[in-house]
Amino acid sequence: MGWERVRLEFARGVSVRFADRDEALRQVERVAERGTRFPVVVYGPEGCGKTALFRQAVEILKSHGYGVVYVNPAASVKDEKVVSTEDVKEIVGATVGLLEPAAATLAEKAFELVSRLLSVKRRVAVILDEVFQAVGPERAEVYVKALLDAIEYPSARYESFVAIIGSSEGTTRARVARHSWATIRVLWNMAREGFKELYDQIPGPGLDFDSAWRLTGGNPRYLAMLYEHGWDAGSLVEEVVSARRLKAFASRLTPLQLEALSEAVEDPDRLLEYLKRGEPSIERLVDSLVELNLVAEIPDRGYGWLDKAPPEKDPSLGIGRFYAWQTPIHREAVRRALSGVHERA
Ligand SMILES: Nc1ncnc2c1ncn2[C@@H]1O[C@H](COP(=O)(O)OP(=O)(O)OP(=O)(O)O)[C@@H](O)[C@H]1O
Ligand SMILES: [Mg+2]
C-alpha cells in the first residue's frame, strides 16, 4: 500500500487522521486498478465524510500513477476549490485560470480539464465535489451525461480514467438514477467502531462515547459541531432549528402533514405508509424533508453502499428500512420545531 492516511481539519485547532472507512478505501483501490466505466456519483448525509473520503482518494489514486484533480466549487477556502497532484498542476492552473471563476464556470471547466489532462497523462482522475449545486440540481443528469461522453468518446487514447462526483443534494438522486449514465454509491455516517477511532482523537472529549454516538449517529461533522458547542447538544439542536428555519417550516404544514411528520419522528418509515395514500401534500412533505437535508431515502442494505451499510433498522438513531433521519440531531431539531406548533395549537 503506497499511500498514507491524510490529516483533516476537524475543528478549530484540532486536526485528525482519516479514520476507518476501510471498505470504502478498498473500493477506491479497485476503482484505481480498473478505472470507472461510468462516472461514480456519491451521495450521503451532510457531513458524513464524503469530502474527507475524496481527499483520501486523491492520495490513493496518486499512488496508482494518476494525475488527479479535485474540484469543489462550493469550498469556502479558495485553496480548496481546486486541488491537484504536482504532475498536472501546470495544466490545471492554465485551464482554470488565475482569476477566480464563478462556481458554475468552475464546474463547466471540468470538461475542458478532462480533455486537456487526457492529452498529457495516460491515467487521469477527476473528483468533482458538490458540482450539482454549482450547475443547478435540475442539470445534474445532463452534467453526468457530459462526463460519461468524456469517458466514452475521449479526445485522446488513455489507459485509465476515473470520474467521481460527490453530492449532498438528495433531490438529484432520483434524476440521476433514472438513466444508466452513472454508478450511484451511498456513503452513510460512520459505523460505531470507526467513529470511536475518530472520537478517540479529540482532545479531552467532554462527553462519553455512548452519548456522542447516540446524538450524532456516527456523523463526523455533527461530532465536530458538538465539540464546538462545548458538548451542549441542546444549543446545537437550537442552532439547527433556527439555521434551517424549522419553526416557520413546521408552522406552514397542513394538519395531515403535521400528523405524518410527528409519526416520522418516532419512525421514519411511517413516511412510506403515508405516501402510499397517494396524497400530493405528503409527497411535497417528503420532498421538502429530503431537500432540507433532514431525511434521506436509503437503498437496500445489500446494494450500492460505499462503506458499511447502516443497520437494517435502528429506532434509537432514527434509521428505518426505507427512510432515515440524517442524524438523531436532525430528528431532535424537527421534534423541537413540532412541539412549538403543538403548543400554539
Ligand atoms: N473518515 C474520517 N476520519 C476523520 N475525520 C473525518 C472523517 N470523515 C469526515 N471527517 C471529519 O468530518 C468533517 C465533515 O466531513 P466532510 O466535510 O467530509 O463531510 P461531507 O459529507 O463532505 O459534508 P457535506 O455534505 O456538507 O459536503 C471533516 O471536516 C472531517 O474533519
Ligand atoms: Mg463535502
Side-chain angles (χ1 to χ4, degrees), residues 50-51 72 129-130 221:
K50 297 177 293 295
T51 298
N72 183 351
D129 205 354
E130 299 295 355
R221 161 97 42 76

Side-chain angles (χ1 to χ4, degrees), residues 136-245:
E138 66 290 342
R139 290 188 54 218
E141 55 206 308
V142 180
Y143 195 85
V144 173
K145 178 66 168 65
L147 201 57
L148 176 62
D149 285 344
I151 302 180
E152 290 190 324
Y153 306 105
S155 48
R157 282 179 65 82
Y158 62 88
E159 180 187 294
S160 190
F161 182 58
V162 169
I164 301 173
I165 299 180
S167 178
S168 55
E169 302 274 331
T171 46
T172 61
R173 196 164 99 198
R175 285 172 173 277
V176 175
R178 68 186 175 199
H179 306 284
S180 50
W181 296 341
T183 305
I184 294 181
R185 289 281 174 267
V186 182
L187 184 71
W188 193 248
N189 297 321
M190 299 178 83
R192 196 180 159 98
E193 313 76 61
F195 189 62
K196 177 80 164 59
E197 208 183 291
L198 168 60
Y199 169 90
D200 284 339
Q201 296 185 59
I202 305 167
L207 190 68
D208 64 281
F209 177 68
D210 271 342
S211 308
W213 170 255
R214 254 188 315 103
L215 285 163
T216 64
N219 183 293
R221 161 97 42 76
Y222 277 83
L223 181 67
M225 287 167 83
L226 260 180
Y227 173 85
E228 286 178 343
H229 278 254
W231 304 105
D232 180 350
S235 85
L236 175 54
V237 169
E238 247 341 292
E239 188 185 296
V240 175
V241 172
S242 71
R244 310 220 176 168
R245 314 181 56 163

Side-chain angles (χ1 to χ4, degrees), residues 8-10 16-19 21 45-52 130 168 190 198 220-221:
L8 302 159
E9 165 111 354
F10 177 75
V16 292
R17 183 169 167 269
F18 184 85
R21 297 297 197 189
E46 49 162 357
C48 73
K50 297 177 293 295
T51 298
E130 299 295 355
S168 55
M190 299 178 83
L198 168 60
R221 161 97 42 76

Side-chain angles (χ1 to χ4, degrees), residues 2 37 59 86 99 136 140 148 185 188 239 275 282 297 343:
R37 171 68 182 81
E59 293 307 307
E86 276 307 321
L99 293 169
L148 176 62
R185 289 281 174 267
W188 193 248
E239 188 185 296
L275 277 172
I282 298 294
E297 196 183 332
E343 271 163 28

